[in-house]
Amino acid sequence: MKTYRIAAIPGDGIGAEVISAGTEVLKAVAKRLDQFELRIDEFDWGGEYYKIHGRMMPEDGREQIRNHDAILFGSAGYPDIPDHITLWGLRLAICQPFDQYANVRPTRVLPGITSPLRNVNDGELDWVIVRENSEGEYAGVGGRVHQGSPLEVATDVAMFTRSGVERIMRFAFKLAQSRPRRLLTVVTKSNAQRHAMVMWDEIANEIAQEFPDVTWDKMLVDAMTTRMVMKPASIDTVVATNLHADILSDLAAAFSGSLGIAPTANLNPERKFPSMFEPIHGSAFDIMGKGIANPIGTFWSGVLLLEHLGEQQAAGRLMDAIERVTADPRYHTPDLGGSARTDEVTAAVIEEIRGANV
Ligand code: NAD
Ligand code: MN
């Protein structure tokens, strides 16, 4: 039987709670289907590790996970360590060298969950946001001089490369093509940002020629927020820069009922490096250790992980189980207005997996 090696990195805060729930659920699916095995190795990297070793992960950390088939990640963010250290020291330290340039964020309103957006009927909100995940505004280019003096200067330079934009556009068009509506919105800001965003638009137009069966349009990012609220059904697949999609996808997550539901895949589509799957939420300091974190975002990330491994049947089973559980308000955690605990939701999903007809 095929064995996949999964690296689990819970990280900090509720990361530990949701990843332990997520690995349990993944093991339950593998066991139920009995078509493949999962070997899950856990890595204790993050804030606690930093307190002891002065870094978020070991120097050879990436080497330790390089040959795994996929990575399941919790959250980087620790109460008294600055966010730029935890983010760059762990999450981005994996995403960037592993060239996970396509960040894919599906949004749907799952059964039983009420969207805060009025008048969204079943199936009217089914989006996938593709975030450029390797350059742009988060390229890390910039600097800071004369710190603390009145002459202080700081810059963050958004850096866009032709090859970087081409590959994310091609990825997004291909994804849009694979979905029933074959509809793509390219988000831009080429009215105000007149260099890189103009190149972004030009490249979108070039790549579009390769996909004559995909209908696409272009939308300024500010107008896109309005469209997301006013005409959600007009949207299907979306591609945007690192910063723009970061913001739009949090908004999208809110529409799906809670930040705790939204999943992410950080893909290296060429599979030269392992891809990484994670809930989009962070460490949630306000609820950590209470056992009430919503694990659905991690479970759904597990679905994306299984799809990436090519285990479509397992992915489908897990998604079905998730949807049957969200449909029952007894299994809603407090972020969804319920009183269920993480382990109750986890047990319910595992129960659905066990009971499912394979
Ligand atoms: P957050 O996602 O941690 O929390 C925002 C709000 O959403 C909180 O009220 C929280 O309780 C709630 N929430 C989030 N996930 C939830 C879940 N699964 N169930 C129930 N409620 C949930 O964002 P933040 O407060 O801006 O960040 C806290 C820390 O996490 C910071 O250090 C930040 O840098 C880090 N962070 C990390 C990542 C990541 O590693 N991918 C993402 C976002 C934030
Ligand atoms: Mn974000």
Side-chain angles (χ1 to χ4, degrees):
M1 204 180 321
K2 198 184 271 177
T3 302
Y4 297 108
R5 290 180 67 200
I6 310 297
I9 307 172
D12 302 315
I14 63 166
E17 300 165 49
V18 294
I19 294 306
S20 106
T23 56
E24 264 186 72
V25 160
L26 282 173
K27 282 181 191 158
V29 189
K31 193 163 174 210
R32 182 72 188 86
L33 276 131
D34 204 26
Q35 293 163 349
F36 59 91
E37 274 173 25
L38 294 178
R39 199 186 111 193
I40 303 181
D41 301 319
E42 204 169 302
F43 296 85
D44 64 347
W45 305 339
E48 301 289 342
Y49 189 95
Y50 180 89
K51 295 270 162 170
I52 301 164
H53 303 281
R55 46 188 305 146
M56 294 290 289
M57 64 192 272
E59 213 160 337
D60 70 341
R62 275 191 306 275
E63 285 311 309
Q64 296 183 33
I65 57 175
R66 200 196 154 109
N67 294 315
H68 282 71
D69 294 293
I71 304 162
L72 185 65
F73 188 84
S75 172
Y78 196 84
D80 58 358
I81 307 174
D83 280 345
H84 65 272
I85 291 179
T86 54
L87 183 67
W88 283 92
L90 187 58
R91 195 175 161 276
L92 294 181
I94 296 171
C95 278
Q96 299 210 334
F98 281 174
D99 205 18
Q100 295 165 347
Y101 65 84
N103 181 275
V104 178
R105 303 183 160 197
T107 303
R108 272 198 291 132
V109 182
L110 298 181
I113 290 176
T114 312
S115 174
L117 205 53
R118 260 193 309 151
N119 309 324
V120 172
N121 301 313
D122 234 14
E124 279 190 356
L125 199 159
D126 182 357
W127 303 341
V128 184
I129 299 180
V130 176
R131 169 179 175 184
E132 200 298 314
N133 210 29
S134 68
E135 55 176 38
E137 306 87 345
Y138 298 170
V141 178
R144 199 165 159 194
V145 287
H146 307 304
Q147 280 194 42
S149 100
L151 297 172
E152 184 164 0
V153 180
T155 59
D156 276 294
V157 179
M159 189 190 72
F160 289 84
T161 63
R162 170 165 279 274
S163 59
V165 178
E166 281 178 0
R167 66 184 186 174
I168 200 66
M169 287 297 169
R170 199 166 276 121
F171 180 89
F173 272 96
K174 220 179 259 176
L175 181 64
Q177 194 179 42
S178 76
R179 288 167 54 84
R181 293 174 70 195
R182 299 188 178 182
L183 191 63
L184 177 70
T185 300
V186 175
V187 173
T188 185
K189 191 64 194 175
S190 49
N191 56 344
Q193 296 176 296
R194 59 190 181 159
H195 307 294
M197 286 293 90
V198 173
M199 181 179 81
W200 171 269
D201 292 1
E202 284 170 11
I203 293 173
N205 199 33
E206 288 165 27
I207 302 295
Q209 311 310 313
E210 298 170 21
F211 299 88
D213 55 342
V214 174
T215 308
W216 73 288
D217 62 359
K218 206 171 75 180
M219 196 97 210
L220 296 175
V221 65
D222 42 351
M224 189 64 182
T225 58
T226 314
R227 178 165 164 196
M228 284 167 70
V229 175
M230 306 302 285
K231 291 185 172 174
S234 74
I235 299 168
D236 189 80
T237 310
V238 177
V239 62
T241 69
N242 216 329
L243 172 66
H244 293 162
D246 186 5
I247 299 164
L248 294 180
S249 60
D250 269 29
L251 179 59
F255 293 165
S256 73
S258 165
L259 198 51
I261 288 177
T264 300
N266 301 282
L267 301 177
N268 174 250
E270 290 75 27
R271 295 170 190 261
K272 269 197 264 174
F273 301 100
S275 294
M276 183 158 88
F277 302 83
E278 53 169 348
I280 91 163
H281 65 75
S283 300
F285 303 138
D286 51 339
I287 58 162
M288 66 182 182
K290 293 188 180 158
I292 54 166
N294 190 340
I296 299 292
T298 303
F299 299 164
W300 195 347
S301 302
V303 173
L304 302 179
L305 184 153
L306 292 167
E307 283 172 355
H308 181 72
L309 295 178
E311 298 296 343
Q312 304 300 340
Q313 196 186 356
R317 288 298 163 204
L318 178 50
M319 199 66 219
D320 283 352
I322 292 169
E323 294 190 25
R324 273 198 291 272
V325 168
T326 62
D328 186 342
R330 282 180 306 160
Y331 298 118
H332 287 184
T333 42
D335 55 305
L336 292 171
S339 57
R341 303 181 57 79
T342 311
D343 54 2
E344 291 168 330
V345 183
T346 307
V349 171
I350 290 173
E351 196 56 39
E352 287 293 346
I353 291 166
R354 288 198 180 130
N357 295 319
V358 174

